[in-house]
């Protein structure tokens, strides 16, 4: 199959590379010449484990290429995937679909034969039909079908998620679209990974409903963690006891400082707006959004209590600022609430993150960046684990405590036990839900 992938952001690049590894001929398109130059040099503009090697292998095999010329990529393609950004629209919470619609119009002008136009971007219900209307209005003579194929990729594990998915969701209305999409995903079908065919609207809704449910699990366990602190329970034991129930499951039950990233914040907001627009308010989702923001602010209060009520004049070492490990993504990360609060309160902040500096330098002005957690902790009044990178899971706690001005530890990912931290010489320790 010949595939054109419009957009080389996180979803577009990972999907394009993985499709090429299935054996398809894939051309990835981006309007940013600097990004295309970078990709053609074999450099990956995002951090995703294993993506650079997989990309290099398929470029060398002649199955993967990059261009800024959309018309060239679309001509003769069996399928054209729209994988452009759909950020939250400023002011009203709706998904900004301007990039999707602009791509649809440009694709229309480039069609040369029967093509399936597939929306990979996360879009509100009804968007795929609108894409079809835009293409039809621009090119009444064009022969095309519309399909919805939402992505379910976890940053840091995206390649494995693509190659070994829980399911592939495909919204179609014609047999031709179903046949093309079936051929594209045949390598997964042959290995018995489930492919769910449905209508366009259901495919669009599945994506939002799944993300909202996962965000709800995270927020629920964070609220339970708050109660655990009040009553003397341990959230790790509670989570384990809950997760062993097959109806609940153990995933997304890890208490922490709140969810962030590229999907959950914008998708819950977009779903809540959809509910309001259709007079079917989603009160649970709306509450999840509100409580998640409260959780981030609660971490600020927790750290302030650890530092005797004031950040002024204190030095704080923050380990991890990306929203999760194994990514360089800073979008809606808890660090964007905590670190500015520290600096605004008069603290000096030292940051360590294996991949966060590239984005973080512009988003966290006023911090001192270092690559060494031990250097960051030297002379500090507190150390905070905010993102549970593997590099922070086996620290020499005795060495850190001995180098600090007042050894205090805020373990906001529950990586260490209180017993180990106290035994290492820390005079104060706080965690989440313990």
């Amino acid at each position: 199959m010949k595939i054109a992938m419009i957009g080389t952001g996180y979803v577009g690049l990972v999907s394009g590379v993985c499709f090429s590894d299935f054996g398809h001929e894939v051309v990835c398109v981006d309007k940013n010449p600097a990004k295309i130059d970078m990709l053609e040099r074999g450099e990956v503009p995002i951090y995703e484990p294993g993506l650079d090697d997989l990309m290099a292998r398929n470029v060398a095999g002649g199955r993967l290429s990059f261009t800024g010329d959309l018309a060239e990529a679309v001509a003769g393609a069996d399928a054209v995937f729209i994988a452009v950004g759909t950020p939250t629209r400023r002011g009203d919470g709706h998904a900004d679909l301007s990039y999707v619609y602009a791509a649809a119009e440009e694709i229309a002008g480039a069609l040369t034969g029967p093509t399936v136009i597939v929306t990979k971007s996360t879009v509100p219900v009804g968007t795929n039909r609108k894409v079809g209307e835009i293409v039809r209005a621009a090119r009444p003579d064009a022969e095309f079908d519309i399909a919805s194929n939402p992505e379910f990729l976890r940053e840091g594990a995206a390649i494995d998620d693509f190659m070994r998915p829980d399911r592939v969701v495909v919204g179609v209305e014609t047999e031709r679209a179903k046949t093309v999409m079936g051929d594209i995903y045949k390598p997964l079908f042959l290995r018995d990974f489930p492919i769910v065919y449905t209508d366009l609207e259901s495919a669009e809704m599945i994506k939002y409903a799944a993300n909202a449910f996962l965000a709800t699990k995270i927020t629920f366990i964070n609220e339970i963690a708050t109660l655990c602190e009040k009553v003397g329970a341990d959230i790790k034991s509670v989570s384990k006891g809950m997760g062993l129930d097959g109806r609940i499951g153990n995933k997304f039950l890890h208490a922490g400082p709140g969810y962030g990233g590229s999907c959950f914040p914008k998708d819950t907001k977009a779903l809540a707006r959809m509910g309001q627009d259709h007079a079917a308010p989603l009160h649970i989702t709306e509450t999840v959004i509100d409580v998640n923001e409260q959780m981030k602010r609660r971490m600020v209060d927790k750290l302030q209590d650890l530092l005797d009520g004031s950040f002024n004049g204190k030095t704080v070492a923050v380990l991890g600022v990306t929203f999760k490990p194994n990514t360089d993504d800073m979008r809606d990360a808890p660090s964007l609430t905590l670190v500015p609060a520290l600096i605004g309160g008069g603290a000096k902040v030292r940051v360590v993150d294996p991949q966060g500096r590239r984005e973080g330098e512009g988003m966290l002005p006023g911090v001192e960046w270092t690559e060494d957690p031990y250097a960051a902790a030297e002379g500090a009044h507190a150390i905070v684990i905010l993102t549970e990178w593997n590099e922070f899971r086996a620290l020499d706690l005795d060495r850190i405590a001995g180098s600090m001005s007042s050894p205090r530890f805020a373990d906001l990912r529950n990586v260490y036990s209180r017993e180990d931290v106290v035994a290492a010489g820390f005079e104060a320790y706080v965690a989440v839900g313990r």
Side-chain angles (χ1 to χ4, degrees):
M1 306 291 286
K2 181 180 178 184
I3 295 172
M5 184 67 63
I6 313 304
T8 62
Y10 188 85
V11 172
L13 186 57
V14 171
S15 299
V17 170
C18 289
F19 278 141
S20 70
D21 205 56
F22 284 174
H24 302 306
E25 179 187 341
V26 180
V27 182
C28 293
V29 183
D30 203 285
K31 287 184 174 295
N32 185 342
K35 185 182 279 192
I36 293 298
D37 289 344
M38 185 178 188
L39 290 164
E40 288 183 332
R41 291 195 303 269
E43 300 173 13
V44 180
I46 58 173
Y47 177 74
E48 178 62 35
L51 186 60
D52 50 354
D53 291 338
L54 195 65
M55 188 176 89
R57 184 168 78 229
N58 285 285
V59 168
R63 295 179 296 274
L64 178 65
S65 60
F66 307 97
T67 183
D69 189 337
L70 182 144
E72 173 191 308
V74 170
D78 297 292
V80 179
F81 283 78
I82 298 175
V84 297
T86 55
T88 299
R89 199 163 66 193
R90 186 170 296 177
D92 63 7
H94 281 290
D96 182 353
L97 300 176
S98 58
Y99 302 108
V100 172
Y101 294 153
E105 191 151 358
E106 195 169 350
I107 290 166
L111 293 174
T112 60
T115 308
V116 178
I117 300 172
V118 190
T119 303
K120 196 75 173 161
S121 305
T122 300
V123 295
V125 176
T127 303
N128 278 276
R129 292 200 184 279
K130 179 64 175 177
V131 167
E133 292 170 7
I134 289 171
V135 176
R136 181 65 66 209
R139 284 285 304 280
D141 63 314
E143 193 176 354
F144 69 94
D145 298 273
I146 296 294
S148 176
N149 180 214
E151 54 85 19
F152 299 93
L153 305 178
R154 295 169 300 160
E155 293 188 40
I159 294 172
D160 191 60
D161 284 347
F162 199 101
M163 300 297 194
R164 301 173 186 83
D166 293 326
R167 78 294 199 198
V168 175
V169 174
V170 178
V172 292
E173 290 191 311
T174 66
E175 282 302 314
R176 183 170 64 183
K178 185 176 181 180
T179 298
V180 169
M181 295 301 290
D183 286 343
I184 289 172
Y185 281 107
K186 186 174 289 184
L188 297 182
F189 176 77
L190 293 175
R191 288 186 287 146
D192 293 325
F193 291 105
I195 299 178
V196 179
Y197 290 101
T198 184
D199 57 89
L200 297 174
E201 286 78 10
S202 296
E204 292 165 332
M205 182 60 78
I206 287 168
K207 168 68 176 184
Y208 280 103
N211 275 358
F213 187 81
L214 295 175
T216 300
K217 285 188 76 173
I218 294 170
T219 305
F220 178 83
I221 205 63
N222 283 340
E223 280 204 313
I224 295 296
T226 302
L227 183 57
C228 283
E229 292 176 10
K230 302 291 186 181
V231 302
D234 186 332
I235 193 60
K236 280 206 163 184
S237 297
V238 174
S239 296
K240 183 176 181 179
M242 288 175 59
L244 290 171
D245 187 325
R247 298 166 300 174
I248 297 173
N250 60 4
K251 293 182 179 179
F252 291 85
L253 287 182
H254 302 288
Y259 63 76
S262 61
C263 292
F264 289 176
K266 76 178 182 67
D267 291 353
T268 50
K269 289 174 186 174
L271 184 62
R273 287 299 309 189
M274 271 191 277
Q276 293 164 9
D277 290 347
H278 290 86
L282 302 175
H283 298 301
I284 292 175
T285 301
E286 291 172 357
T287 302
V288 164
I289 295 167
D290 181 54
V291 172
N292 189 61
E293 291 306 309
Q294 292 177 30
M295 287 298 161
K296 294 177 184 179
R297 293 192 294 270
R298 180 173 169 265
M299 297 303 114
V300 176
D301 296 337
K302 187 182 285 286
L303 193 55
Q304 195 164 34
D305 290 343
L306 182 69
L307 289 168
D308 300 323
S310 175
F311 298 143
N312 192 39
K314 308 290 175 57
T315 298
V316 179
V318 176
L319 307 187
V321 290
T322 54
F323 88 94
K324 63 181 285 189
N326 296 322
T327 181
D328 57 358
D329 199 337
M330 294 281 297
R331 284 173 286 186
D332 282 289
S335 63
L336 300 181
T337 298
L338 182 67
V339 172
L342 287 168
I343 293 174
K348 177 182 179 181
V349 179
R350 299 171 184 157
V351 169
V352 184
D353 192 290
Q355 295 293 332
R357 185 168 184 171
R358 181 169 56 182
E359 285 193 26
E361 280 188 322
M363 303 177 81
L364 296 173
V367 307
E368 177 186 335
W369 292 86
T370 177
E371 296 181 2
D372 183 1
Y374 299 101
E378 190 168 349
H381 299 87
I383 187 167
V384 184
I385 291 186
L386 198 51
T387 309
E388 66 278 32
W389 286 89
N390 282 337
E391 289 89 331
F392 306 145
R393 290 184 177 276
L395 296 170
D396 185 338
L397 298 180
D398 295 87
R399 176 182 171 187
I400 288 176
S403 72
M404 295 176 68
S405 291
S406 62
R408 304 180 185 206
F409 197 153
D411 185 3
L412 303 186
R413 296 291 181 175
N414 295 339
V415 174
Y416 294 92
S417 69
R418 178 180 296 275
E419 293 74 20
D420 288 344
V421 172
V422 171
F426 283 87
E427 63 188 46
Y429 169 80
V430 294
V432 178
R434 309 174 79 185

